[in-house]
Amino acid sequence: MDTSKFDLLVVGGGSGGLAVAQRAAEHGARVAVIESHRLGGTCVNVGCVPKKIMWNAAGLAQAVTDAAEYGFRVENAGLDWEVLKRKRDEFVARLNGIYERNLVNRNVTLLRGHAQFVDWSTVVVNDQRVSAAHVVIATGGYPKVPEVPGAELGITSDGYFALERRPDHVALIGSGYIAAELAGTLRGLGSQVTIVTRADGILREFDPLIREHLTRSVQDDGIEIVDHTTPTALTKSGRRLVLQDGPRRVGEFDCVLWAIGRQPRTLGMGIETTGVALGQEGEIRTDTWQNTNVPGVYAIGDVTGRVSLTPVAIAAGRRLADRLFGGQPERRLDYELIPSVVFSHPPVGMVGLTEPQAKERHGDAVRVFTSVFVPLFHAPTTAKPRTAMKLVTVGAEQRIVGCHVVGPGADEMLQGFAIAIRMGATKQDFDDTVAIHPTSAEEMVTMR
């Protein structure tokens, strides 16, 4: 079997894989990408992009209610799920095509099929043998399903995007960002929603102000939270959940969705032949330069188990290509101060340390500032949802090391504040910035 040789071989055509491949090609490298499914990976196909479209739809449903409060004669006559799904899927398909054309335009070879490693530098795809001096593994991850009786009766976030109709009553198992996002969207689109979690409320890894505020908000929206328990079975009759704390059952549901985390995709591709070290969850271990323990083999994105965010995978991939092929030997991603947003209802934005993390690291040098208020938008409305903000500062100069927001607009306002905080902004810098009035964001520079 003849071997096709490249400068860079990328296993996985998701956001990170495409980013490293295209940047390397721009630097003049001969690059091949291997992908067995649709280009774009989780984010484009069953993640960020279709999720945001569904989130927008739920926001429009709420806007109809709010418009009536403002005096408009409007009525929510219901959602045509089929129309929404079709338009969403058509947009995703267009993105798939755009990604493929981008590879063609950059002279990147796309190999369609399943990659099977022969050794660290060689892969077989559909009986074709390819090798490279540099190999990047960017195979992403997939949703976990618990090993409990009847688990196959439920779906994951992948199955959520395949739903042909809106489920009437949904149980979401989990308390992380996926559970929070899908729960809010489904509730906004008219489903009855129950969250089942072993934690106390939702988003347990976030700052206490965010976690407590969002938990109250989703409950005020009519989402039921069954906490401090774990399902031990899913029964076929009525899809009832059997809970860990005894014979208690919850249900009936017409949809049970497992949102208990994601697993790195490293099985079934012969990775054991490469000598690459894996962690306890099957993730590929890397250093801060994306190097594995095998010279010439690198990993980026969700498969590393480190900060599973699309922009992180893209940034890591581009910097890796700059280092390997662009003559920038010091180029790498700094994993500190990475901003992120949860597209819950309302959305959450955060960057930096939570208050407990800051106190653990800096002790009594920590001082926090908070603001909780009803946004002006809700002055005419019956509902009075609140926005909450927190700045976490350290030292006599009150350098800002954490920023946390939950409320309408949090997703859009955080990017600018993340830049300022990454540049070392202090509380005084925020205080000295003239507020833009009337906005929610102005509260960030007027906290006392």
Side-chain angles (χ1 to χ4, degrees):
M1 184 186 296
D2 293 335
T3 301
S4 299
K5 297 185 180 296
F6 295 88
D7 299 315
L8 174 66
L9 184 61
V10 181
V11 183
S15 299
L18 293 173
V20 68
Q22 292 178 131
R23 180 61 62 87
E26 290 171 3
H27 288 310
R30 292 185 64 242
V31 184
V33 172
I34 303 172
E35 178 55 63
S36 59
H37 297 94
R38 293 180 293 173
L39 289 174
T42 296
C43 177
V44 168
N45 297 292
V46 287
C48 324
V49 172
K51 169 198 72 181
K52 185 67 179 292
I53 290 175
M54 301 300 284
W55 184 82
N56 288 338
L60 288 172
Q62 180 60 51
V64 173
T65 300
D66 292 335
E69 297 262 33
Y70 268 77
F72 288 93
R73 296 173 183 172
V74 294
E75 178 184 358
N76 187 344
L79 168 69
D80 189 327
W81 183 277
E82 183 180 346
V83 170
L84 175 60
K85 182 180 186 301
R86 174 173 53 80
K87 291 192 172 185
R88 183 199 71 202
D89 293 349
E90 288 173 350
F91 178 68
V92 169
R94 286 200 297 274
L95 290 180
N96 297 148
I98 289 171
Y99 284 129
E100 186 161 0
R101 289 192 294 275
N102 285 342
L103 294 180
V104 171
N105 292 338
R106 289 172 174 81
N107 295 316
V108 174
T109 299
L110 174 60
L111 302 174
R112 292 283 191 178
H114 180 73
Q116 190 70 27
F117 279 95
V118 176
D119 56 42
W120 74 266
S121 66
T122 309
V123 174
V124 173
V125 188
N126 297 332
D127 296 327
Q128 180 180 357
R129 195 180 182 101
V130 292
S131 67
H134 301 280
V135 177
V136 175
I137 303 173
T139 47
Y142 57 93
K144 291 181 180 179
V145 176
E147 295 182 0
V148 300
E152 71 281 359
L153 299 172
I155 64 172
T156 65
S157 55
D158 288 0
Y160 165 76
F161 293 108
L163 290 172
E164 297 292 342
R165 66 173 186 85
R166 179 186 59 80
D168 292 326
H169 193 180
V170 183
L172 282 142
I173 318 304
S175 62
Y177 75 95
I178 294 177
E181 290 180 339
L182 299 190
T185 294
L186 284 164
R187 181 59 186 153
L189 295 177
S191 297
Q192 185 178 349
V193 178
T194 299
I195 294 176
V196 179
T197 172
R198 63 184 179 182
D200 180 13
I202 56 180
L203 298 185
R204 63 182 180 275
E205 302 297 329
F206 284 66
D207 189 88
L209 178 71
I210 300 301
R211 185 176 67 245
E212 294 163 9
H213 185 89
L214 185 62
T215 297
R216 286 195 302 270
S217 293
V218 300
Q219 289 175 320
D220 289 344
D221 286 340
I223 295 175
E224 177 187 21
I225 297 179
V226 180
D227 54 12
H228 298 104
T229 189
T230 302
T232 56
L234 178 56
T235 66
K236 190 171 184 179
S237 175
R239 287 188 181 157
R240 290 178 177 272
L241 288 167
V242 180
L243 302 180
Q244 189 180 49
D245 54 348
R248 182 161 61 121
R249 298 187 180 200
V250 292
E252 300 175 350
F253 304 103
D254 57 336
C255 179
V256 173
L257 196 155
W258 306 110
I260 58 174
R262 294 180 64 83
Q263 184 78 25
R265 193 180 297 278
T266 52
L267 295 177
M269 58 180 179
I271 202 167
E272 63 276 3
T273 66
T274 67
V276 169
L278 303 181
Q280 290 185 344
E281 296 295 320
E283 75 279 9
I284 296 179
R285 292 178 174 174
T286 59
D287 63 14
T288 57
W289 298 83
Q290 311 303 143
N291 298 316
T292 70
N293 62 304
V294 177
V297 182
Y298 320 88
I300 56 176
D302 292 3
V303 76
T304 68
R306 178 194 290 164
V307 192
S308 297
L309 297 170
T310 295
V312 171
I314 293 172
R318 288 174 176 168
R319 285 160 176 75
L320 176 60
D322 290 341
R323 179 166 69 87
L324 297 179
F325 302 104
Q328 303 175 53
E330 300 304 313
R331 189 79 163 137
R332 67 181 179 90
L333 177 62
D334 181 359
Y335 281 85
E336 292 292 322
L337 291 175
I338 291 176
S340 64
V341 164
V342 180
F343 286 99
S344 48
H345 286 268
V348 169
M350 62 84 63
V351 61
L353 302 177
T354 65
E355 182 179 346
Q357 288 170 338
K359 288 182 175 178
E360 182 179 357
R361 186 178 300 185
H362 300 287
D364 293 338
V366 173
R367 184 179 175 188
V368 300
F369 300 84
T370 61
S371 178
V372 180
F373 57 94
V374 176
L376 180 61
F377 178 86
H378 287 287
T381 67
T382 303
K384 302 295 181 186
R386 292 175 175 269
T387 289
M389 299 179 175
K390 177 184 284 189
L391 292 176
V392 182
T393 71
V394 170
E397 77 283 13
Q398 293 183 350
R399 179 172 57 89
I400 300 172
V401 297
C403 175
H404 308 270
V405 190
V406 55
D411 51 317
E412 294 292 350
M413 73 175 71
L414 188 74
Q415 189 75 75
F417 289 114
I419 295 171
I421 292 168
R422 185 170 181 79
M423 293 177 68
T426 65
K427 181 64 168 62
Q428 190 63 53
D429 291 325
F430 275 37
D431 291 345
D432 288 343
T433 300
V434 176
I436 300 172
H437 181 74
T439 65
S440 291
E442 72 177 299
E443 292 287 329
M444 200 73 75
V445 299
T446 58
M447 292 186 200
R448 303 294 298 172

